[in-house]
């Protein structure tokens, strides 16, 4: 299910950018959520490509962090749908242990990081990608760690 990352104490969530993370490894998804929250980003976490597509149909993130190999709807499909809806205005970072960098770039990703990766490298790429994005994709409300199934219903 889709979850939002916790708000950082003392930080106004209305000025934090939203990052959609699609990763089927639950441990890595949790670590990414903690890291992004620490970096003061609003994060939406899902392990499922189909849920990512449903979320993307109604919301525009500042950045998508995407695993390439997902069960069901794969990362390539999520990337293609994101590009079809938002063009190149939403940067996409692909994380993968198996995909080839040239394949991922050819598919339209802005950046690629091979798993396993160093956290400072990931943070650097996120900051670089977000530096190119206008600050309009901000958190709509204070996030919580509860399931957001109700948000996907419409």
């Amino acid at each position: 299910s889709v979850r939002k990352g916790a708000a950082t104490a003392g930080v106004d969530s209305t000025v934090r950018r939203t990052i959609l993370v699609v990763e089927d490894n639950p441990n890595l998804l949790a670590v990414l959520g903690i890291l992004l929250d620490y970096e003061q980003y609003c994060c939406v976490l899902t392990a499922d490509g189909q849920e990512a597509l449903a979320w993307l149909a109604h919301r525009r993130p500042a950045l998508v962090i995407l695993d390439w190999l997902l069960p069901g709807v794969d990362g390539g499909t999520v990337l293609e749908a994101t590009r079809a809806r938002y063009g190149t205005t939403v940067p996409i970072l692909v994380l993968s242990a198996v995909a080839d960098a040239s394949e991922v770039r050819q598919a339209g990703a802005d950046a690629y990081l091979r798993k396993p990766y160093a956290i400072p490298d990931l943070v650097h790429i996120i900051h670089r990608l977000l530096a190119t994005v206008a600050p309009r994709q901000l958190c709509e409300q204070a996030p919580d760690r509860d399931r957001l199934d109700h948000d996907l219903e419409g």
Side-chain angles (χ1 to χ4, degrees), residues 1 7 22 24 28-30 46 56 61 68 80 83 123 139-140 143 147 150:
S1 69
V22 189
D24 64 328
L28 186 51
L29 186 64
T46 184
L56 285 163
W68 195 246
E80 183 179 302
R83 287 290 177 246
V123 171
C139 292
E140 298 171 8
R147 293 175 178 239
H150 62 280

Side-chain angles (χ1 to χ4, degrees), residues 131-152:
T132 67
V133 178
R136 65 183 173 275
Q137 297 92 359
L138 303 174
C139 292
E140 298 171 8
Q141 60 188 5
D144 56 38
R145 290 255 180 219
D146 295 334
R147 293 175 178 239
L148 297 182
D149 297 346
H150 62 280
D151 284 351
L152 296 175

Side-chain angles (χ1 to χ4, degrees), residues 61-149:
L63 171 67
V64 175
I65 298 176
L66 181 61
D67 185 11
W68 195 246
L69 286 183
L70 297 166
V73 176
D74 67 7
T77 303
V78 175
L79 189 153
E80 183 179 302
T82 304
R83 287 290 177 246
R85 181 162 180 86
Y86 299 112
T88 57
T89 63
V90 174
I92 299 171
L93 166 58
V94 171
L95 308 175
S96 181
V98 296
D100 178 76
S102 61
E103 169 192 11
V104 169
R105 294 266 188 183
Q106 190 172 17
D110 297 285
Y112 169 78
L113 195 55
R114 189 173 227 1
K115 294 178 185 176
Y117 47 81
I119 295 297
D121 293 341
L122 175 63
V123 171
H124 174 76
I125 292 171
I126 291 169
H127 290 176
R128 181 176 55 81
L129 290 172
L130 288 174
T132 67
V133 178
R136 65 183 173 275
Q137 297 92 359
L138 303 174
C139 292
E140 298 171 8
Q141 60 188 5
D144 56 38
R145 290 255 180 219
D146 295 334
R147 293 175 178 239
L148 297 182
D149 297 346

